[in-house]
């Protein structure tokens, strides 16, 4: 993975919510659609939330084992980020980038060479609101990418290098149905 892609993945996972556009859409992590309609899911007024279901396919194209972080040792899917493609600005980042409060553990999701895993992810936004204005933070409409944090070769993700395989998905469009 290039330094640019690794930095973009780490920034997205850190909650920055904006991704540089890495270009080619031949990633090992793919969304099931190229366009999604975000529909009202919960809340009213300023706390209104929108969401959609994304089916992600991660294919380990490397010759080694890839480890995907997950929030809790028994969670069935990896932790993920949903980053806005393009430069940070106004609105800042992605409204769909989840906020994680995870426990420390050494039980990542193991993806063997040649193996493909499929995750059905419920994407909701916004993840945060401005404390003074109560305005949602981040963009609801636009081009986004899904990000998994992938490390290769060892179970301790803090000491593992990022996988050579991209953990940033193809770009997809999201439009809110209002």
């Amino acid at each position: 993975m290039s330094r640019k892609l690794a930095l973009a993945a780490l920034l997205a996972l850190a909650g920055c919510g904006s991704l540089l556009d890495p270009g080619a859409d031949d990633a090992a992590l793919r969304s099931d659609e190229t366009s999604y309609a975000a529909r009202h899911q919960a809340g009213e007024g300023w706390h209104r939330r929108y969401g959609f279901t994304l089916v992600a396919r991660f294919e380990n194209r490397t010759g080694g084992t890839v480890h995907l972080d997950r929030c809790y040792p028994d969670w069935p899917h990896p932790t993920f980020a949903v980053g806005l493609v393009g430069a940070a600005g106004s609105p800042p980042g992605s409204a769909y980038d989840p906020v994680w409060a995870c426990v420390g553990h050494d039980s990542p999701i193991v993806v063997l060479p040649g193996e493909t895993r499929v995750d059905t992810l419920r994407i909701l936004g916004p993840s945060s609101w401005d404390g003074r204005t109560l305005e949602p933070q981040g963009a609801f409409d636009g081009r986004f990418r899904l990000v998994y944090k992938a490390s290769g070769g060892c179970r301790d993700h803090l000491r593992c290098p990022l996988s050579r395989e991209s953990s940033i998905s193809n770009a997809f469009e999201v439009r809110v149905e209002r």
Side-chain angles (χ1 to χ4, degrees), residues 93-174:
S94 167
Y96 304 106
D97 200 14
V99 177
W100 297 100
C102 301
V103 300
H105 62 84
D106 66 350
S107 185
I109 295 171
V110 176
V111 186
L112 299 174
E115 189 174 75
T116 298
R117 69 170 284 110
V118 178
D119 296 296
T120 301
L121 306 173
R122 190 78 189 124
I123 311 295
L124 290 172
S127 297
S128 61
W129 293 262
D130 182 284
R132 288 181 303 212
T133 66
L134 303 181
E135 290 294 315
Q137 295 183 321
F140 287 95
D141 295 306
R143 290 181 62 222
F144 299 87
R145 290 185 189 269
L146 178 68
V147 180
Y148 282 176
K149 183 178 177 193
S151 57
C154 61
R155 293 173 59 93
D156 183 352
H157 69 279
L158 296 176
R159 295 192 182 115
C160 288
L162 286 175
S163 170
R164 292 185 312 268
E165 191 62 42
S166 175
S167 60
I168 301 175
S169 78
N170 57 298
F172 52 88
E173 294 285 329
V174 178

Side-chain angles (χ1 to χ4, degrees), residues 9-118:
L10 291 174
L11 288 173
L13 286 169
C16 294
S18 179
L19 291 175
L20 303 171
D21 190 349
D25 277 345
D26 62 350
L29 179 60
R30 305 277 313 163
S31 64
D32 61 326
E33 302 288 340
T34 57
S35 179
Y36 298 91
R39 295 179 176 88
H40 175 244
Q41 299 296 307
E44 294 300 328
W46 69 270
H47 197 256
R48 194 171 177 93
R49 297 190 78 195
Y50 299 90
F52 56 96
T53 300
L54 184 150
V55 178
R57 293 179 56 86
F58 179 82
E59 180 183 351
N60 181 356
R61 298 177 184 166
T62 73
T65 301
V66 173
H67 297 90
L68 301 175
D69 283 356
R70 59 178 153 189
C71 203
Y72 293 96
D74 59 348
W75 270 28
H77 61 79
T79 52
F80 60 89
V82 179
L84 181 65
V85 175
S90 181
S94 167
Y96 304 106
D97 200 14
V99 177
W100 297 100
C102 301
V103 300
H105 62 84
D106 66 350
S107 185
I109 295 171
V110 176
V111 186
L112 299 174
E115 189 174 75
T116 298
R117 69 170 284 110
V118 178

